[in-house]
Amino acid sequence: MKIVLFAALLPCLATAFAPTAFTSSPARIVSSSIRANYQSTPLRSSVLLQAANGDSDVNGFEKKKIIVLGGDGFCGWPTSLHLSDKGHDVVVVDNLSRRNIDTELGCDSLTPIKSPEVRVQAWKEVTGKDMKFVNLDVAKEYDLLVQLIKEEKPDAIVHFAEQRAAPYSMKSSKAKRYTVDNNVGGSNNLCCAVIDAELDVHIVHLGTMGVYGYGTSGGEIPEGYIDVTLPGGRQSNILHPAYPGSVYHATKCLDALLWQFYQKNDQLRITDLHQGIVWGTNTPQTIKDERLVNRFDYDGDYGTVLNRFLMQGAMGVPLTVYGTGGQTRGFIHITDTARCIEIAINNPPAKGDRVEIFNQIAETRRVRDIAALVAEMTGVKVNNIPNPRQEAAENELDVSNRKFCNLGLDPITLDTGLFDEVTQIVKKYKDRCDPTKILPASFWNKKRAEECADLDPTSVKIDEAEESKVEIQA
């Protein structure tokens, strides 16, 4: 069979801060470096190992063709490599919009990422495995999308091809409109293209935990569907109510409704993955060659919170905590993102089944607790600044992640060992960092912008003395 990934426009701490308990068995705590974790991952059972590794049954591996939409992005690129490394036939599709946004914002990835063509060739040289790259805009080039699906006949299409940053989606009216047009239009085009291609293709979409809101369920957030009591005492199980916190999150909620419709109307097989905040940069595949390195975003628009803290700590820059830091969020390592995509591909819903939904997170942590750990590790100060976001100052978050754990995922959790990975990257590429891009540059509304008016991007300086201390500790 075949798998196609479309990656497009779309953060690991000490036990001193215990994570919110999940309903699944406790997650493994990483006590050594990430590299050591790559080399040796505990296995639960032969059956679950096959589920995680892509085996169709106990008799052997089933190769698939997979199209990865948005395969050049932060999550899409390492996922594409992971699937190829497992033996699948991968087609990387991207319109390079994220690279264009780098130019727009005047801020490049901290890591010097190569062109898609160089990346694919490097993967061939290092592993002997072929991957194809196709430059295509999923939201605008519909006929080419249909043609691609007809020609490749994928078993699965992984959909990362969306503008992935909440702050960027709130930057301006132009950014809001672009995010809606690109994200919702692209998802609708994908469904229509699969129907027009007349193929039974499994769509795997990367969504977000933000569709649920944060702490609005009054208890544990279930995986996609929630039991309710309707008037008259009638019991039902419905799609969890949407509670988006940005235009980006709103597009993911609209995506969810599109999945529901096309499953009901056209019996499309769809899996929606509600992912937490991603941290880390490299995976076992991206560290094979410098030309394969994943992107590392540190700016106020695209840098995820833990990666931003770790970079700031390594550079001797005070940690930028928004408001009280009482926001509780779900986290997942970039390596587990790729592993979860693979598990979802290997466990598709049957034709006619409702949309399958997984909560794709490893654990939950409060932002100020993460900041305190990084500050203790690096010796830098914590700087509480006005919050550019319209959100609750404090929230609890209890999330179910039973499904992936039951299918064999043994998640990487926040641990001080992760610091080695990010410290090495920051030290290696520190000269590429523009400290003026660290503070938030997008604000949810006029009131938030006024509250943040005194923030001066040029005031952020790299502390060479603190940076040296971090290097010695590392």
Side-chain angles (χ1 to χ4, degrees):
M1 300 175 72
K2 299 180 177 181
I3 303 175
V4 180
L5 286 89
F6 290 55
L9 318 171
L10 287 84
C12 343
L13 301 172
T15 54
F17 302 108
T20 299
F22 284 122
T23 53
S24 60
S25 57
R28 171 173 52 86
I29 298 296
V30 180
S31 57
S32 56
S33 70
I34 295 300
R35 183 180 293 272
N37 181 56
Y38 292 158
Q39 296 169 343
S40 178
T41 301
L43 304 176
R44 296 170 184 246
S45 70
S46 60
V47 174
L48 293 180
L49 172 59
Q50 289 154 1
N53 285 351
D55 296 347
S56 59
D57 54 37
V58 294
N59 296 320
F61 169 76
E62 183 180 358
K63 183 176 181 178
K64 300 182 180 182
K65 171 164 275 194
I66 305 170
I67 294 176
V68 181
L69 301 173
D72 184 55
F74 175 54
C75 292
W77 176 242
T79 299
S80 298
L81 294 185
H82 176 83
L83 292 171
S84 177
D85 200 31
K86 291 297 182 179
H88 297 297
D89 186 0
V90 175
V91 178
V92 176
V93 176
D94 208 297
N95 70 343
L96 309 185
S97 62
R98 179 63 190 90
R99 294 175 185 248
N100 293 332
I101 291 174
D102 280 343
T103 301
E104 174 192 339
L105 298 179
C107 184
D108 291 329
S109 164
L110 186 67
T111 51
I113 55 175
K114 301 299 183 181
S115 69
E117 292 82 3
V118 171
R119 282 176 151 187
V120 169
Q121 180 60 34
W123 181 246
K124 170 69 173 179
E125 294 174 7
V126 171
T127 68
K129 299 178 184 295
D130 287 305
M131 284 200 308
K132 180 189 297 185
F133 170 70
V134 177
N135 191 325
L136 186 154
D137 190 324
V138 176
K140 294 182 178 179
E141 299 177 309
Y142 180 75
D143 291 343
L144 294 178
L145 177 61
V146 175
Q147 180 181 340
L148 178 71
I149 295 173
K150 286 182 175 180
E151 291 177 352
E152 297 295 342
K153 296 179 173 55
D155 299 297
I157 296 177
V158 182
H159 182 23
F160 292 114
E162 298 184 284
Q163 192 291 106
R164 66 172 176 85
Y168 182 82
S169 78
M170 303 300 292
K171 195 171 196 66
S172 63
S173 295
K174 178 181 177 181
K176 292 173 182 177
R177 292 167 53 236
Y178 167 71
T179 301
V180 172
D181 291 347
N182 179 81
N183 293 9
V184 181
S187 294
N188 189 59
N189 279 356
L190 175 56
C191 291
C192 293
V194 169
I195 295 167
D196 285 349
E198 299 182 329
L199 294 172
D200 181 20
V201 182
H202 176 205
I203 296 173
V204 179
H205 172 251
L206 190 70
T208 172
M209 283 294 301
V211 299
Y212 301 116
Y214 293 103
T216 60
S217 294
E220 180 191 73
I221 296 177
E223 305 202 56
Y225 302 93
I226 188 169
D227 293 324
V228 298
T229 301
L230 300 173
R234 293 171 293 148
Q235 303 299 308
S236 186
N237 182 256
I238 66 171
L239 188 68
H240 192 287
Y243 201 75
S246 71
V247 169
Y248 157 76
H249 292 104
T251 65
K252 296 294 187 173
C253 295
L254 295 170
D255 284 343
L257 293 178
L258 285 174
W259 309 140
Q260 293 291 322
F261 169 75
Y262 281 110
Q263 183 284 318
K264 179 188 68 173
N265 191 71
D266 299 281
Q267 289 76 56
L268 294 190
R269 295 187 298 123
I270 302 171
T271 298
D272 200 7
L273 307 175
H274 293 165
Q275 181 167 259
I277 297 170
V278 183
W279 61 274
T281 299
N282 278 318
T283 68
Q285 291 76 36
T286 64
I287 60 173
K288 291 180 182 291
D289 189 287
E290 188 168 358
R291 293 170 296 173
L292 300 174
V293 68
N294 197 21
R295 69 177 300 124
F296 186 107
D297 296 309
Y298 64 91
D299 61 286
D301 280 336
Y302 277 88
T304 56
V305 61
L306 184 51
N307 277 3
R308 286 193 293 106
F309 285 173
L310 291 170
M311 185 279 297
Q312 291 167 13
M315 300 289 277
V317 176
L319 309 183
T320 51
V321 175
Y322 298 165
T324 67
Q327 310 91 336
T328 304
R329 297 293 185 263
F331 294 88
I332 186 170
H333 190 271
I334 185 64
T335 297
D336 281 343
T337 291
R339 293 173 61 210
C340 286
I341 295 292
E342 183 192 10
I343 293 173
I345 289 170
N346 292 328
N347 294 273
K351 196 171 185 66
D353 285 355
R354 72 180 182 176
V355 176
E356 180 65 84
I357 301 176
F358 293 81
N359 288 340
Q360 190 165 304
I361 71 169
E363 60 186 330
T364 62
R365 295 292 178 106
R366 200 176 295 275
V367 171
R368 61 169 168 257
D369 293 343
I370 295 174
L373 177 62
V374 175
E376 181 180 1
M377 291 164 51
T378 63
V380 301
K381 297 179 180 180
V382 174
N383 182 21
N384 290 81
I385 65 175
N387 193 343
R389 302 177 178 230
Q390 183 67 38
E391 63 184 1
E394 307 272 336
N395 74 274
E396 302 299 325
L397 188 64
D398 185 12
V399 184
S400 171
N401 67 346
R402 290 187 185 91
K403 290 183 179 179
F404 273 129
C405 290
N406 289 341
L407 287 170
L409 179 68
D410 191 10
I412 299 168
T413 54
L414 304 186
D415 182 83
T416 51
L418 72 90
F419 192 56
D420 294 340
E421 175 203 4
V422 178
T423 298
Q424 292 165 11
I425 290 173
V426 172
K427 287 193 297 182
K428 186 172 184 177
Y429 302 113
K430 60 184 180 182
D431 291 339
R432 292 174 54 87
C433 176
D434 180 353
T436 67
K437 302 299 182 181
I438 291 176
L439 290 179
S442 298
F443 310 97
W444 262 234
N445 51 44
K446 183 178 180 180
K447 180 181 179 182
R448 293 296 182 179
E450 291 172 348
E451 291 175 352
C452 296
D454 292 335
L455 296 177
D456 180 8
T458 64
S459 68
V460 180
K461 306 295 182 184
I462 295 174
D463 189 327
E464 299 292 345
E466 288 295 336
E467 183 184 346
S468 298
K469 283 194 237 175
V470 172
E471 290 184 7
I472 293 171
Q473 292 173 8

